[in-house]
Every structure is written in structure tokens, then in C-alpha cells.
Amino acid sequence: MSYEFLVASAIGVLVAGGIYLALRARTFQVVLGLTLISYAVNLFLFASGRLVLNRPPIWDKSVAEYTDPLPQALVLTAIVITFGMTAFVVILALRSFLETGSDHVDGDTVPCDAQDGLADGEGAEP
């Protein structure tokens, strides 16, 4: 198995998991899905600079071949942007929960027991 196939598979799994979680009905799962998608984008950006092993990222007169440092800089910038975006979305989700009393994305107010499948006494202890 090649290194490129492993990285492509990891990107695919992260995107699939991110899309699955982003389509859920609860805000925390949506935030996790968006975070997984951003991790997949970071990995894609990093892999876009060619996967070169055992090469320095900085050019020097004594080095004949080196790794392109631009994708590494893009990934570091994307990590900072992702952190800020995730913090902002978590604060929006918390504010929405505190104002509506529900953590559903569609805005429906559902009691907490009904969200977890314990409505009408199903699975609840007497």
C-alpha cells in the first residue's frame, strides 16, 4: 500500500464522517462534523505540496532537494482559522441552546427525554 493511498483514504474517511455528523439534528454533532471536515481540508492542503519524505522544508545551499514550505504554512494558517471558527460555532450553539432550550438544529423545542428516545416512559425507570 502506498503512502499516497493511505493519505487519500484518511481524507475520504474524515470527509465521510464529517458529512455524516454535519447532517445530524443536534448542534454538538454538527460542530464535530464541521471540525472533521476542516481536518480533512488541512490534510488535503498538506498533501497538495507533494508527499516527500526525509527532505528539509527550508532551502539551503548544501541541500539539493527540499520540501515545498507553502502547504505547511497554509495548514498552520488553516489550523488557526479552524480554531476560531470552532470556538465561534460552539458559542453560537450554546447561546441557541440557552435561548430555545433545545439543541436541535431545526429549532424544534423537544424535551430532553424525547431527544434521547426516553419519551413516554420508554426505557425510563419508574
Side-chain angles (χ1 to χ4, degrees), residues 52-106:
V52 180
L53 300 175
N54 299 325
R55 301 275 193 267
I58 299 175
W59 181 78
D60 190 10
K61 291 180 182 179
S62 63
V63 177
E65 295 180 13
Y66 61 95
T67 304
D68 187 14
L70 183 62
Q72 297 173 17
L74 288 174
V75 168
L76 287 175
T77 305
I79 288 170
V80 172
I81 292 170
T82 300
F83 179 74
M85 184 230 14
T86 303
F88 181 69
V89 171
V90 165
I91 295 300
L92 284 179
L94 181 63
R95 172 128 186 199
S96 173
F97 174 73
L98 292 176
E99 286 186 4
T100 63
S102 173
D103 65 343
H104 276 252
V105 177
D106 57 3

Side-chain angles (χ1 to χ4, degrees), residues 9-69:
S9 298
I11 292 170
V13 167
L14 285 173
V15 168
I19 289 173
Y20 174 76
L21 287 174
L23 294 176
R24 304 295 292 172
R26 298 176 86 170
T27 55
F28 183 70
Q29 294 168 347
V30 170
V31 170
L32 285 179
L34 291 175
T35 305
L36 281 179
I37 291 172
S38 67
Y39 289 156
V41 169
N42 289 346
L43 192 56
F44 177 74
L45 284 175
F46 190 70
S48 69
R50 293 193 192 131
L51 301 173
V52 180
L53 300 175
N54 299 325
R55 301 275 193 267
I58 299 175
W59 181 78
D60 190 10
K61 291 180 182 179
S62 63
V63 177
E65 295 180 13
Y66 61 95
T67 304
D68 187 14

